[in-house]
Amino acid sequence: MVDKPMSNHRTRFPFSINKLIFWSLISLAVILFFFVGSPPSTATTTTSSSHSRRSLRGGPQWQTSVIRSSTPSNPKGLRVLVTGAAGFVGSHVSVALKRRGDGVVGIDNFNRYYDPSLKRSRADLLTREGVFVVEGDINDSSLLKSLFKLVKFTHVMHLAAQAGVRYAMKNPSSYIHSNIAGFVNLLETCKSVNPQPAIVWASSSSVYGLNSKVPFSEKDRTDQPASLYAATKKAGEEIAHTYNHIYGLSMTGLRFFTVYGPWGRPDMAYFFFTRDILKGKQIQIFEGAEHRSVARDFTYIDDIVKGCLGALDTAEKSTGSGGKKSGPAQLRIFNLGNTAPVPVGKLVSILEKLLKVHAKKKVVAMPRNGDVPFTHADISLAKKEIGYKPGTDLEKGLNKFVTWYLAYYSNESGKKDRLSSW
């Protein structure tokens, strides 16, 4: 697909309020991008590996580490910059790329949205795998330029983002800073280098918002976001289209559907349900209108990784050079889900079985916090174009998660024992 809409049904903004929301987000992002700049890292841990990632940035040792990490062991391997590399999906993708022979350099700001020690542990495992993770922010233009000056990246796997639907009500500016301003800053760097890399980035199933048609197809309308997080992800898709059209950047967006698994995010329901069930705390299970079950298209991390690699492997080269477009460039977007929605109540039942603990449950009405009652992915396009075939059912995936969780948190004082392999 070249220099045309991501699907046959382009997003429209038929109502003035939708236009107002969208362009207000863009305007705020531009203000932050040009005037606020990058905040310092909020992480406080200072291990030897994080010290080299941070304080020696730009020095000979740092440059050597970046170049070594970016060098493929496979002669035909890619050179990939992975943003958000210490995150849940980013760490898994980085390991998978490195193990198949690609060169990988990560970047992460180790923010405190959730416990940074989990991110540090992931980064330590990446170090063991030979992946160098730069500690920095994607809003730092000079840092990005330094990395691209050292390495001619063939691809960028952009996974850095402010995640979480509910947190947007507490800290909305963080979503603009990362999901819009950060994305624009990254694209500004990519469009100016020669050669331009192909870019694969994480969108979200949240863009479907209040859409009631199921399963969700890439052709469905996405102009009714139910949360600020969803609005920033939708804005990212429009920004991607713009940079593709003007500068010839090859762009592939991936709409993830409720990713779960080992080394996951503590803010996700399956994670904190596990924690609270083991502690004997009451858990709340949301229900929709008319007592309908809330359901999610839970997608196991290994399946998501395969989708990410498939997108990278089929991404065509960008067509620009030094900020100038020479021809139409590839523009795609895919759903990555499991196409098998499961009620949250069943998720809890599976966890009870695996943990051998009866949960203290309380069913409550779903609050108006940006959550939607169900998600369901149509993955036919991803199957056809990138060979995406998820193969992990929820019980099998949760079993792997629970095994990891019990091992990781069984001895919090013994870090070495907690760093289990992937």
Side-chain angles (χ1 to χ4, degrees):
M1 183 180 297
V2 292
D3 199 23
K4 61 182 180 180
M6 297 180 190
S7 71
N8 294 330
H9 182 89
R10 281 293 296 148
T11 298
R12 304 292 182 191
F13 294 90
F15 307 110
S16 59
I17 185 63
N18 287 334
K19 292 182 180 179
L20 178 62
I21 292 172
F22 178 75
W23 289 111
S24 296
L25 283 169
I26 298 297
S27 299
L28 182 55
V30 171
I31 292 172
L32 285 169
F33 175 60
F34 286 107
F35 296 104
V36 177
S38 173
S41 171
T42 55
T44 58
T45 306
T46 55
T47 63
S48 59
S49 59
S50 65
H51 178 74
S52 66
R53 288 192 291 266
R54 182 177 62 252
S55 62
L56 300 179
R57 194 173 81 188
Q61 181 181 345
W62 183 86
Q63 293 181 7
T64 299
S65 297
V66 169
I67 294 171
R68 181 186 298 117
S69 186
S70 69
T71 304
S73 60
N74 182 339
K76 296 182 179 180
L78 311 178
R79 295 178 184 266
V80 188
L81 175 65
V82 179
T83 70
F88 175 30
V89 178
S91 56
H92 280 270
V93 170
S94 296
V95 168
L97 288 169
K98 196 68 174 180
R99 285 182 176 177
R100 73 174 195 174
D102 296 314
V104 183
V105 175
I107 181 171
D108 203 291
N109 69 356
F110 296 89
N111 68 32
R112 300 188 67 87
Y113 170 59
Y114 59 82
D115 184 7
S117 68
L118 180 57
K119 301 177 185 180
R120 298 286 177 187
S121 293
R122 296 191 195 114
D124 288 343
L125 280 178
L126 291 180
T127 299
R128 292 185 183 186
E129 295 284 341
V131 177
F132 185 67
V133 181
V134 175
E135 184 162 348
D137 197 294
I138 57 173
N139 282 282
D140 187 339
S141 297
S142 62
L143 172 58
L144 293 181
K145 290 177 182 177
S146 296
L147 290 172
F148 276 92
K149 185 177 181 180
L150 285 172
V151 180
K152 291 185 181 298
F153 291 106
T154 60
H155 296 72
V156 172
M157 185 76 230
H158 177 47
L159 297 168
Q162 177 58 64
V165 169
R166 302 168 197 171
Y167 184 63
M169 299 179 71
K170 297 180 180 179
N171 189 5
S173 63
S174 66
Y175 290 78
I176 307 300
H177 177 80
S178 180
N179 300 356
I180 298 181
F183 191 27
V184 169
N185 193 54
L186 177 65
L187 295 180
E188 279 292 302
T189 301
C190 291
K191 61 99 170 174
S192 300
V193 299
N194 186 20
Q196 293 176 337
I199 300 168
V200 178
W201 91 98
S203 184
S204 169
S205 62
S206 295
V207 300
Y208 291 108
L210 302 178
N211 178 39
S212 59
K213 173 185 168 294
V214 291
F216 298 160
S217 166
E218 292 90 346
K219 296 179 181 180
D220 292 342
R221 66 183 299 180
T222 53
D223 61 351
Q224 302 178 93
S227 67
L228 178 61
Y229 169 70
T232 61
K233 283 298 187 177
K234 177 57 184 175
E237 293 186 358
E238 299 301 325
I239 290 168
H241 179 274
T242 301
Y243 275 79
N244 168 270
H245 174 70
I246 297 176
Y247 301 110
L249 285 174
S250 172
M251 305 291 302
T252 301
L254 304 176
R255 292 173 177 169
F256 295 158
F257 280 71
T258 316
V259 189
Y260 73 100
W263 295 96
R265 282 176 22 214
D267 65 315
M268 299 293 286
Y270 73 93
F271 199 114
F272 62 75
F273 279 171
T274 298
R275 179 195 64 209
D276 291 345
I277 290 172
L278 288 172
K279 290 183 178 181
K281 293 184 177 180
Q282 185 183 77
I283 62 173
Q284 290 188 340
I285 301 176
F286 294 155
E287 66 176 9
E290 300 179 357
H291 303 289
R292 294 176 181 172
S293 297
V294 172
R296 292 289 180 268
D297 198 349
F298 296 101
T299 313
Y300 189 63
I301 182 61
D302 288 358
D303 293 324
I304 289 292
V305 170
K306 291 175 183 177
C308 291
L309 269 57
L312 288 167
D313 291 340
T314 57
E316 297 176 359
K317 292 183 179 180
S318 293
T319 63
S321 176
K324 295 182 179 180
K325 175 182 176 182
S326 61
Q330 185 182 52
L331 179 64
R332 309 177 296 174
I333 196 150
F334 301 111
N335 289 336
L336 294 188
N338 199 45
T339 196
V342 176
V344 175
K346 183 176 180 180
L347 165 76
V348 174
S349 296
I350 294 173
L351 287 175
E352 289 178 307
K353 174 183 175 182
L354 296 172
L355 296 169
K356 297 180 174 60
V357 178
H358 179 70
K360 299 177 180 178
K361 294 168 281 190
K362 181 179 181 181
V363 178
V364 298
M366 187 171 66
R368 291 182 176 273
N369 58 9
D371 274 325
V372 294
F374 57 86
T375 59
H376 184 184
D378 177 348
I379 59 173
S380 56
L381 184 62
K383 283 184 177 180
K384 177 182 177 182
E385 299 293 333
I386 62 175
Y388 176 66
K389 296 179 180 179
T392 310
D393 64 53
L394 185 58
E395 184 163 352
K396 180 180 178 181
L398 284 177
N399 186 44
K400 293 182 178 180
F401 165 73
V402 167
T403 299
W404 168 82
Y405 184 95
L406 295 176
Y408 184 80
Y409 289 102
S410 63
N411 182 14
E412 295 200 17
S413 62
K415 182 177 179 182
K416 184 177 180 181
D417 294 335
R418 294 163 58 203
L419 290 180
S420 59
S421 66
W422 297 92

